[in-house]
Amino acid sequence: MSVLLQIGRRPPEREPRAEPDPGTGAGGGPLGLAAETRVFRSAHGAHLFVADGSRIYDLPQETADRLEQWSAAAHDPAQDAALAAGLGLPLWGGAGLPAPRIDGTPAAVPPLSSLSLNVMQACNLSCGHCYADEGRFGGSARAMPRETAFAAVDRLLAEAAPDAAVVVGFMGGEPLLARDLVHEVVTYATRAGAATGHAVRFALTTNLTTVRPADAELFAAHPFTVAVSLDGDRAGHDALRRAPGGGSAYDRLRAGLEVLERHGRPRHLSARVSVTPYTGRLLDILEHGIGLGFDEVGFAAVVSAPDPAYEIGPDAFTGFLEQMVECGRAALRELTAGRPYPFGNFQTAMYELHTGGHRPYPCGAGAGYLSASAEGGLYACHRLVDDPAFAMGSLTQGPDQKARAAHLAARHVDRAEPCRSCWARYLCGGGCYHEVTRRGRTGCDYIRGWLAFCLRAYVELSQAAPEFFRHPTASDLPGDPAALAR
């Protein structure tokens, strides 16, 4: 069996872990071929995806057929291991083979590397699909005091690894309703980071309806990534986002884009489309966003919302997958031809596969990333602010290391059902904590379907346009601060 594609950055043999806990490990041994592998086909033949290390191999056609037939039936894991050894499949530890890279042992609590500040837990728009309930998170509107914001920066720098780069994120609600505080924090964090030897980057998520020239100048002068909420063209956007007084939220967004073009563009400007049952054709929205000049356009299904009418339920995921694959095919076609096509979901998947990306968690929430509420409480992420189940300390007392360790131990993907027996688990990580705790894992079939398409697309893109991987265009400043701590 020959290696199809040499992964550009091999994953480490072992990742930092806490002390092993034999009582809650990954299950006491191999789970079998169906959980550890996935046979797939592309225009170039048959291939094998190995979950451990996200490795991809060529397969002879007859071997692929045999594996598919074998995996379709139930077998004892020992029988699967014997077959794998007989076929020479590099799956589990053995003679000449490394130990599994992920083995069910929880990750050790890392230094803090990213902290988002909920500077304004209120919003100037009213959107039924907003997970944050206009920033109130089920409570009342409030703003973060200046001393709390500065304390958040101090805490981040104190908890970060020496000389490491850190990220300060601004969330809401609408963070630009607290623009004076945002400007002050950027100045304070830049100076404080220089004094402690930490390079400070910034991320901000906004509806872009209130941006001013001074804000644009701030974004251009500092290493900023700005993520903008977009729901389609004028009709589609305004159908989901209600502006006060009956004005057009879309027209205000377009005016905000013009402000950025005239007065300063951030290092990376992305559009995030929240997909609801009322969202139009995704390919049209993708191309509309690209036409507006965004560096990246990505989709996320609304799984949990204050109003359930805006949620993508299990039945709707089939249509969502079909539209995502349609967008993916457009991206593959354009990138193969050497033309840029910044479909964020697709690009992220391509780079994850190319670098052997694999992880036992969906993101860095509760690990290297935390979020501070307006009152100074620390939570696993910005979507879980004010949720006592995900409380992780305070700015005054510092992060609660025991709570973070317990979070990482309880939510390792190899300890979750049905995740631990899924071939896609180390690419998915088990799903967004906010969505899983509120709605369960309703999108598993969608995730597997999307990743199955991406595997095929990766092989074909690597063959047709290898330069795409030699010159990455994806930003190193994702719009979601939790992703920075992966």
Side-chain angles (χ1 to χ4, degrees):
M1 183 172 57
S2 60
V3 176
L4 171 64
L5 298 169
Q6 181 63 48
I7 294 175
R9 177 177 59 79
R10 300 294 299 188
E13 291 301 324
R14 301 284 290 180
E15 298 179 353
R17 290 168 167 83
E19 289 299 315
D21 180 359
T24 55
L31 291 167
L33 286 170
E36 304 292 353
T37 66
R38 167 84 179 189
V39 173
F40 68 99
R41 290 169 171 79
S42 74
H44 300 282
H47 318 284
L48 180 72
F49 171 78
V50 179
D52 177 41
S54 297
R55 293 169 286 153
I56 297 175
Y57 297 88
D58 278 330
L59 275 184
Q61 186 63 54
E62 61 273 17
T63 304
D65 293 341
R66 183 178 178 186
L67 282 174
E68 284 185 318
Q69 293 171 4
W70 180 272
S71 297
H75 296 280
D76 183 274
Q79 293 178 291
D80 282 6
L83 177 65
L87 294 174
L89 305 183
L91 303 185
W92 301 293
L97 296 176
R101 293 167 176 82
I102 299 175
D103 63 5
T105 306
V109 177
L112 199 60
S113 59
S114 181
L115 182 66
S116 65
L117 284 58
N118 285 267
V119 292
M120 178 58 72
Q121 293 186 211
C123 187
N124 62 315
L125 299 182
S126 178
C127 311
H129 62 294
C130 177
Y131 69 86
D133 187 28
E134 299 180 28
R136 298 186 299 262
F137 295 93
S140 58
R142 52 210 185 274
M144 178 176 283
R146 181 175 180 269
E147 58 271 18
T148 301
F150 283 14
V153 172
D154 293 339
R155 178 58 66 184
L156 172 61
L157 297 175
E159 300 290 338
D163 302 320
V166 297
V167 177
V168 175
F170 299 101
M171 306 293 294
E174 172 49 55
L176 288 181
L177 295 182
R179 64 172 31 83
D180 290 345
L181 180 59
V182 170
H183 284 248
E184 287 184 279
V185 169
V186 170
T187 300
Y188 180 81
T190 301
R191 291 176 179 171
T196 60
H198 295 90
V200 183
R201 299 180 293 170
F202 303 95
L204 182 140
T205 299
T206 175
N207 58 40
L208 209 64
T209 61
T210 65
V211 67
R212 297 175 181 173
D215 304 326
E217 292 166 0
L218 181 79
F219 301 155
H222 297 274
F224 254 94
T225 176
V226 174
V228 178
S229 300
L230 177 71
D231 291 312
D233 58 12
R234 191 176 193 272
H237 191 81
D238 287 345
L240 290 170
R241 297 184 181 271
R242 296 180 292 277
S248 170
Y250 179 83
D251 288 348
R252 296 185 185 189
L253 183 152
R254 291 294 300 268
L257 288 174
E258 292 176 6
V259 169
L260 296 183
E261 290 301 320
R262 291 198 306 268
H263 299 279
R265 187 181 177 92
R267 177 182 296 185
H268 187 72
L269 181 65
S270 66
R272 183 183 187 277
V273 182
S274 298
V275 181
T276 77
Y278 308 106
T279 301
R281 184 185 180 210
L282 298 192
L283 183 59
D284 293 340
I285 297 173
L286 173 61
E287 297 194 337
H288 182 74
I290 294 173
L292 292 178
F294 286 101
D295 299 316
E296 175 187 346
V297 181
F299 299 101
V302 175
V303 177
S304 176
D307 185 346
Y310 290 94
E311 296 175 354
I312 295 288
D315 294 340
F317 268 110
T318 299
F320 180 50
L321 173 60
E322 291 172 353
Q323 293 203 55
M324 286 290 288
V325 170
E326 181 183 29
C327 293
R329 287 176 177 150
L332 178 61
R333 181 175 60 251
E334 293 300 303
L335 294 172
T336 296
R339 295 185 289 268
Y341 199 83
F343 177 23
N345 304 73
F346 185 82
Q347 291 190 157
T348 297
M350 295 301 101
Y351 292 127
E352 285 272 315
L353 292 171
H354 190 67
T355 57
H358 65 291
R359 59 186 184 275
Y361 303 99
C363 65
Y369 167 62
L370 294 176
S371 187
S373 69
E375 293 85 1
L378 292 175
Y379 297 86
C381 87
H382 54 281
R383 299 189 74 176
L384 296 165
V385 165
D386 293 342
D387 186 338
F390 290 90
M392 301 281 170
S394 68
L395 293 176
T396 55
Q397 299 297 318
D400 185 333
Q401 304 297 72
K402 290 184 178 180
R404 295 169 74 194
H407 166 79
L408 294 173
R411 293 177 174 85
H412 191 294
V413 71
D414 280 339
R415 300 177 176 212
E417 295 292 353
C419 301
R420 65 182 298 269
S421 59
C422 176
W423 64 267
R425 63 192 181 278
Y426 299 143
L427 293 174
C428 165
C432 169
Y433 303 129
H434 176 266
E435 294 173 355
V436 169
T437 56
R438 285 156 177 76
R439 295 291 181 268
R441 293 184 171 90
T442 59
C444 294
D445 288 339
Y446 156 73
I447 293 170
R448 283 187 288 264
W450 169 246
L451 291 174
F453 162 76
C454 288
L455 285 170
R456 300 193 301 272
Y458 169 63
V459 172
E460 294 171 10
L461 183 61
S462 298
Q463 296 293 310
E467 63 278 2
F468 172 81
F469 299 98
R470 289 196 291 267
H471 304 287
T473 57
S475 169
D476 62 351
L477 290 173
D480 181 352
L484 295 161
R486 282 181 178 170

